[in-house]
């Protein structure tokens, strides 16, 4: 059993999750403070990949990153980099697909934050940076943690957009999802089912871990609130 699809899926999911963790939190924090009209428009745009079929997302990415498109052609001619049909091409697909999950959960967490805590912290001279990392983030960590784990699990099982922009090449671009599909097409149901079980096992462990972390987090008070306010 070739383990390359497992390794490739894990690194793609990890890299894309790290990217959307920081980008998603930043965007969610900014939009949570935006005026209602602007927030509504941007929210629709940023959430669109969540409701679009993954194949449509993949098609749109090909229209932007393909070797005959402006961005793809520029990277190819300038750096000799082909942005499609490589293992890391799948990172573009998974990042776009999972971004709405992180964005919406983080935005919901920030909107539920008790703003009087921030005002109280400002009144005693604490900086906005300190307030964000030591008070706001600990307060919102359960929602952010849930968004991060759900995003990772979604990235691990992404197929539609990944198959279009990265394709399937054994030992080069194969992921668990694309491997399952190819094995099914070749009537290798036994090996396909093994990969299905691998994916389910990883997802189960990830979700079980976040449930345990959330229970522990619920028993602790945010560090920035202890004795400082």
């Amino acid at each position: 059993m070739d383990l390359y699809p497992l390794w490739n899926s894990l690194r793609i999911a990890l890299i894309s999750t790290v990217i959307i963790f920081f980008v998603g939190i930043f965007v969610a924090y900014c939009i949570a403070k935006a005026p209602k009209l602007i927030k509504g428009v941007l929210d629709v745009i940023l959430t669109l990949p969540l409701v679009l079929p993954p194949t449509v997302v993949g098609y749109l990415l090909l229209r932007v990153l393909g070797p005959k498109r402006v961005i793809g052609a520029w990277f190819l001619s300038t750096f000799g980099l082909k942005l499609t049909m490589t293992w890391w091409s799948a990172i573009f697909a998974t990042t776009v697909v999972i971004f709405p999950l992180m964005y919406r959960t983080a935005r919901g967490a920030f909107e539920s934050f008790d703003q009087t805590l921030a005002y109280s912290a400002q009144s005693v001279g604490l900086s906005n940076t300190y307030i964000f990392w030591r008070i706001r983030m600990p307060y919102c960590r359960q929602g952010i943690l849930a968004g991060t784990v759900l995003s990772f699990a979604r990235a691990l099982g992404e197929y539609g957009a990944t198959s279009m922009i990265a394709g399937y090449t054994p030992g080069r671009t194969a992921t668990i999802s694309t491997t399952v599909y190819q094995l099914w097409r070749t009537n290798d149901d036994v090996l396909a089912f093994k990969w299905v079980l691998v994916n389910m096992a990883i997802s189960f462990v990830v979700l079980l871990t976040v449930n345990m972390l959330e229970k522990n987090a619920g028993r602790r008070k945010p560090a920035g609130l202890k004795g400082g306010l």
Side-chain angles (χ1 to χ4, degrees):
M1 185 175 178
D2 180 16
L3 295 180
Y4 179 83
L6 174 60
W7 152 245
N8 195 34
S9 295
L10 287 174
R11 66 176 171 178
I12 290 170
L14 284 171
I15 294 171
S16 58
T17 301
V18 170
I19 293 172
I20 63 96
F21 176 82
F22 293 102
V23 176
I25 287 176
F26 174 76
V27 174
Y29 178 66
C30 292
I31 291 182
K33 301 189 300 179
K36 188 174 182 180
L37 179 60
I38 297 177
K39 181 189 298 185
V41 174
L42 292 178
D43 187 65
V44 170
I45 296 173
L46 294 173
T47 309
L48 200 57
L50 187 64
V51 296
L52 286 176
T55 50
V56 172
V57 174
Y59 173 78
L60 294 175
L61 287 173
L62 285 175
R63 298 284 296 181
V64 175
L65 304 177
K68 295 183 179 180
R69 303 299 171 181
V70 176
I71 296 178
W74 183 79
F75 269 90
L76 187 61
S77 61
T78 306
F79 304 105
L81 288 177
K82 191 177 181 182
L83 300 183
T84 58
M85 302 305 159
T86 64
W87 75 264
W88 45 268
S89 300
I91 296 174
F92 300 132
T94 53
T95 299
V96 172
V97 169
I98 69 177
F99 173 80
L101 289 173
M102 186 66 201
Y103 158 70
R104 290 191 69 87
T105 52
R107 199 201 73 186
F110 287 139
E111 289 178 343
S112 66
F113 176 72
D114 186 356
Q115 198 61 33
T116 58
L117 297 176
Y119 296 148
S120 299
Q122 290 173 346
S123 68
V124 296
L126 296 178
S127 67
N128 289 331
T129 301
Y130 182 93
I131 293 171
F132 180 82
W133 289 109
R134 299 301 301 274
I135 298 177
R136 193 181 300 270
M137 284 293 286
Y139 186 96
C140 302
R141 61 186 168 191
Q142 290 194 31
I144 292 172
L145 178 62
T148 303
V149 175
L150 288 174
S151 298
F152 174 81
R154 177 67 182 87
L156 190 65
E158 213 295 307
Y159 170 75
T162 298
S163 63
M164 294 194 68
I165 197 170
Y168 172 79
T169 304
R172 292 183 57 189
T173 67
T175 63
I176 294 176
S177 298
T178 57
T179 298
V180 169
Y181 177 72
Q182 292 299 324
L183 291 172
W184 171 78
R185 287 183 67 249
T186 56
N187 295 319
D188 193 348
D189 288 338
V190 174
L191 191 54
F193 186 66
K194 288 181 180 179
W195 279 117
V196 169
L197 292 178
V198 169
N199 202 343
M200 291 178 63
I202 296 174
S203 299
F204 179 82
V205 171
V206 169
L207 294 175
L208 181 62
T209 300
V210 73
N211 285 339
M212 294 175 63
L213 290 174
E214 285 183 342
K215 289 180 180 179
N216 291 333
R219 301 190 189 104
R220 295 194 297 266
K221 187 178 182 180
L225 300 179
K226 293 180 179 179
L229 301 179

